[in-house]
Amino acid sequence: VIPQSAEEVKNIVALCKEADMPYYILGNGSNLLVGDKGYRGVIIQIYKEMNHIRIEDDKVFAQAGALLSRVGTATLEAELTGFEFAAGIPGTVGGGLFMNAGAYGGEMKDVLTEITHLTPDFKIETIKAEEAKLSYRHSIYKENGCIILGGKVKLTPDSQESIKEKMDDFLGRRKDKQPLEYPSAGSVFKRPVDNFAGRMVEMVGLKGFAIGGAQVSEKHAGFIINIGGATADDVNALILYIKEKILEIFGCELECEMIYVKNG
């Protein structure tokens, strides 16, 4: 189901609750792994029909369905800096706020000033950024049951030339280091304290290791790619194997950044 407004989101959720029907809020789905049996229920995709972006002075208002890349393009055209880190992340504003997306030293919490959401009792509220308690790959939205509808960020004026230079640098690094030529669910693991998950996976000799059609990328060991016919079970089996090896050798328990969606 693809709602076109906050009111439609509210009505759809109300219908689901009335019918005792499971529902899942989806953005671009770029950091998700869906179980092989799918999802029995309603997928509410806040994406292309709720993607309006508005810029006033140094403030950018974006609906949850706006792609981060589109926001990046809009800020470039408006000569506003501070959002370059997110311009290459293949997700939406809603997803980016939900997990406090970040890259190359920047995070959503660095620029966010407000979030608008729908509460479990169907109230539309706007809260200050600090109330969302954004931290590394985490926000209160992982626990509070609210649905993100949009956000406001505050940026800094700069020249288009300088902004584009930063964006091109980040995009170039992404293409050089990440296996963008293969299907994947993005970075699999959160960064451990004082280390990097990809580096640890490589150190235990699992770069290129595969289970079924799922393989630890030879380009970046923090990614699991589909080299052909991979199932969600293949990916999960590979994740468990990696976690066991890292725990055995480093005594460190890796935590997934990628979200696993299933209910059957």
Side-chain angles (χ1 to χ4, degrees):
V1 181
I2 305 174
Q4 298 184 24
S5 66
E7 195 63 28
E8 284 194 6
V9 174
K10 183 160 71 171
N11 292 340
I12 293 162
V13 173
L15 281 169
C16 289
K17 288 185 175 181
E18 187 181 322
D20 198 25
M21 175 71 71
Y23 63 91
Y24 188 83
I25 306 298
L26 180 71
N28 193 37
S30 47
N31 212 192
L32 299 183
L33 175 68
V34 181
D36 293 318
K37 293 182 180 178
Y39 182 86
R40 305 297 297 172
V42 178
I43 298 293
I44 303 171
Q45 186 173 30
I46 300 177
Y47 185 26
K48 295 182 179 179
E49 299 300 324
M50 289 181 65
N51 64 0
H52 182 67
I53 300 164
R54 185 176 89 256
I55 297 178
E56 295 177 5
D57 300 322
D58 59 353
K59 299 172 188 67
V60 183
F61 303 80
Q63 286 185 299
L67 286 171
L68 293 168
S69 57
R70 278 193 63 237
V71 178
T73 300
T75 60
L76 170 65
E77 291 171 356
E79 299 187 312
L80 292 172
T81 187
F83 206 78
E84 293 90 342
F85 74 91
I89 297 173
T92 59
V93 168
L97 294 175
F98 180 80
M99 66 180 298
N100 185 31
Y104 306 113
E107 294 177 300
M108 294 300 289
K109 73 178 180 64
D110 299 334
V111 293
L112 181 71
T113 60
E114 291 178 355
I115 299 181
T116 300
H117 62 226
L118 177 70
T119 68
D121 56 351
F122 304 115
K123 292 175 185 169
I124 294 174
E125 295 179 340
T126 297
I127 64 170
K128 297 295 182 186
E130 52 269 26
E131 295 177 72
K133 296 179 183 175
L134 300 187
S135 59
Y136 177 64
R137 302 298 177 265
H138 185 268
S139 73
I140 58 166
Y141 295 100
K142 292 198 173 185
E143 295 95 30
N144 70 1
C146 293
I147 298 170
I148 297 170
L149 299 172
K152 180 173 80 172
V153 300
K154 189 174 187 299
L155 305 175
T156 307
D158 200 357
S159 70
Q160 279 196 359
E161 184 182 4
S162 174
I163 295 165
K164 191 170 188 313
E165 190 177 318
K166 288 178 195 170
M167 283 187 178
D168 289 347
D169 175 41
F170 292 157
L171 287 170
R173 285 198 249 171
R174 189 177 289 273
K175 285 176 183 175
D176 287 344
K177 294 180 180 178
Q178 296 183 10
L180 304 181
E181 63 273 26
Y182 287 96
S184 81
S187 177
V188 177
F189 301 107
K190 293 182 181 179
R191 186 177 65 240
V193 177
D194 299 327
N195 214 325
F196 292 95
R199 180 191 294 164
M200 295 168 81
V201 175
E202 187 173 353
M203 287 174 72
V204 299
L206 292 180
K207 207 172 190 181
F209 181 78
I211 292 178
Q215 181 191 62
V216 177
S217 168
E218 294 180 348
K219 193 172 186 179
H220 189 314
F223 287 72
I224 291 176
I225 59 173
N226 182 354
I227 54 174
T231 64
D233 284 346
D234 290 340
V235 176
N236 270 322
L238 186 50
I239 287 171
L240 287 172
Y241 186 79
I242 292 167
K243 289 177 79 171
E244 286 171 5
K245 281 287 183 187
I246 298 297
L247 184 60
E248 176 189 330
I249 294 171
F250 288 99
C252 169
E253 190 158 351
L254 289 180
E255 187 180 348
C256 274
E257 175 179 321
M258 179 190 75
I259 298 170
Y260 186 38
V261 181
K262 70 166 190 171
N263 67 347

